[in-house]
Amino acid sequence: MGQRIDGRAVSKALLAEVAASVAKHQARGVKPTLAVVLVGDDPASAVYVRNKGKRAAEAGIATVDHRLGADTTTGELLALIRSLNDDASVDGILVQLPLPPQVDADAVLLAIDPAKDVDGFHPENLGRLMIGDPRFVACTPLGCMKLLESAGTELSGARALVIGRSTIVGKPMAQLLLAANATVTTAHSRTQDLAEEVGRADVVIAAVGRPKMIPGAWIKPGATIIDVGINRGEDGKLCGDVDFDGALERAGAITPVPGGVGPMTIACLMHNVSLAASRR
Ligand code: NDP
């Protein structure tokens, strides 16, 4: 029976560390501030933004909300980003994704000052990660690394499998594992034999978005499993990409969904805001 990695507890400890660093910024007269841009009225995005606001408040970080209508143009959004880039009181800028279809999301992410890009999605920050000089690391992969650390997983020389190659999760995740000296494989929708790949991995990061697509029987005994997927199962309940109950039997350690990677993503965002404020 594997260890259940408690993302809520690890994120709470990280938020306490962030709160302590925020207090130090405040003591020198800097008030760490996150600008949150929400375009349109997607209900899931509104929930994410509300949760981020709550965690920020707990860490002592101020948030300034900018809510724009669903018919906002790329030009209007770019104008807002430029004003936030120029505003010295703003440390971090978060544009909640997804953006409405008429908005050029790539142009918007590119317009964010890389020094305020606390989501770590700007090509400059992604490139810095790739050359081994990271500044802001994308929050979900960073949270996964902190969970691996909390579980005591040895990464040097380990075979690590990242399933999924998105720019916000899979690709930066693979880079972080490579930097930690793992032997990294990235799987995706064209991978021929996913079961075989999973079966030889000491560490699996699942970031696909398909409910319970990885059965416990595929997992190498003793492997560490980090499940990034957030899905609604047939029973209507939230579940990950991995069949948690089956995997728990074989894995050395595994994260649950919910209560695994999700809370870490938000805590790492706050960590990045405090890091941004340290540059002021
Ligand atoms: P994307 O849809 O951008 O990427 C999914 C990836 O999965 C793609 O690279 C795709 O391959 C790959 N894929 C699809 N089908 C298969 C398959 N059968 N076998 C192997 N790989 C496959 O998703 P995201 O990276 O944005 O998110 C992934 C999941 O993580 C989602 O469930 C999302 O909700 C969740 N998530 C959770 C977060 C958290 O805080 N916990 C934060 C961000 C995301 P290809 O490139 O070939 O199409």
Side-chain angles (χ1 to χ4, degrees):
M1 196 74 155
Q3 171 204 348
R4 188 178 178 282
I5 304 172
D6 185 347
R8 290 201 178 100
V10 181
S11 72
K12 223 173 149 189
L14 176 59
L15 273 176
E17 274 176 38
V18 173
S21 72
V22 166
K24 282 187 193 151
H25 295 314
Q26 284 164 341
R28 62 183 178 87
V30 170
K31 185 175 151 196
T33 301
L34 172 66
V36 180
V37 180
L38 178 59
V39 185
D41 34 37
D42 175 39
S45 293
V47 173
Y48 289 138
V49 164
R50 209 166 43 240
N51 285 340
K52 285 168 186 172
K54 276 193 217 157
R55 294 291 97 75
E58 282 166 24
I61 292 170
T63 49
V64 182
D65 285 348
H66 297 268
R67 305 214 168 205
L68 304 180
D71 55 356
T72 300
T73 64
T74 303
E76 286 164 340
L77 197 45
L78 288 177
L80 172 61
I81 300 294
R82 280 188 214 107
S83 77
L84 295 171
N85 284 345
D86 293 341
D87 185 342
S89 71
V90 170
D91 296 290
I93 302 170
L94 179 142
V95 177
Q96 183 63 47
L97 300 177
L99 289 167
Q102 79 279 7
V103 174
D104 181 347
D106 288 340
V108 171
L109 296 181
L110 201 58
I112 295 173
D113 179 349
K116 297 189 177 188
D117 169 41
V118 287
D119 257 335
F121 296 164
H122 191 285
E124 181 176 316
N125 285 316
L126 289 164
R128 286 181 71 134
L129 175 63
M130 191 156 190
I131 63 168
D133 180 26
R135 177 168 48 194
F136 297 117
V137 176
C139 304
T140 298
L142 182 59
C144 293
M145 290 303 283
K146 290 185 184 290
L147 289 173
L148 287 169
E149 194 186 324
S150 80
T153 304
E154 176 65 51
L155 293 176
S156 184
R159 279 179 192 270
L161 174 67
V162 180
I163 315 175
R165 56 174 164 180
S166 70
T167 307
I168 62 171
V169 187
K171 282 180 186 155
M173 188 71 239
Q175 287 297 325
L176 287 167
L177 290 165
L178 192 58
N181 298 320
T183 300
V184 184
T185 301
T186 303
H188 45 77
S189 65
R190 311 291 170 88
T191 295
Q192 297 266 336
D193 191 343
L194 189 61
E196 186 186 72
E197 299 295 342
V198 172
R200 58 167 171 242
D202 304 306
V203 176
V204 177
I205 314 286
V208 176
R210 278 189 174 202
K212 302 185 187 180
M213 70 176 283
I214 297 151
W218 286 7
I219 288 166
K220 178 176 176 179
T224 302
I225 314 294
I226 305 289
D227 194 347
V228 181
I230 303 178
N231 313 292
R232 197 58 76 182
E234 280 169 9
D235 55 4
K237 290 188 186 155
L238 281 187
C239 68
D241 292 346
V242 180
D243 174 21
F244 182 83
D245 294 331
L248 195 60
E249 300 285 320
R250 290 170 72 93
I254 177 168
T255 59
V257 177
V261 176
M264 290 306 293
T265 297
I266 300 188
C268 287
L269 174 68
M270 300 312 148
H271 165 82
N272 280 349
V273 176
S274 182
L275 183 66
S278 65
R279 285 154 214 279
R280 251 210 268 174

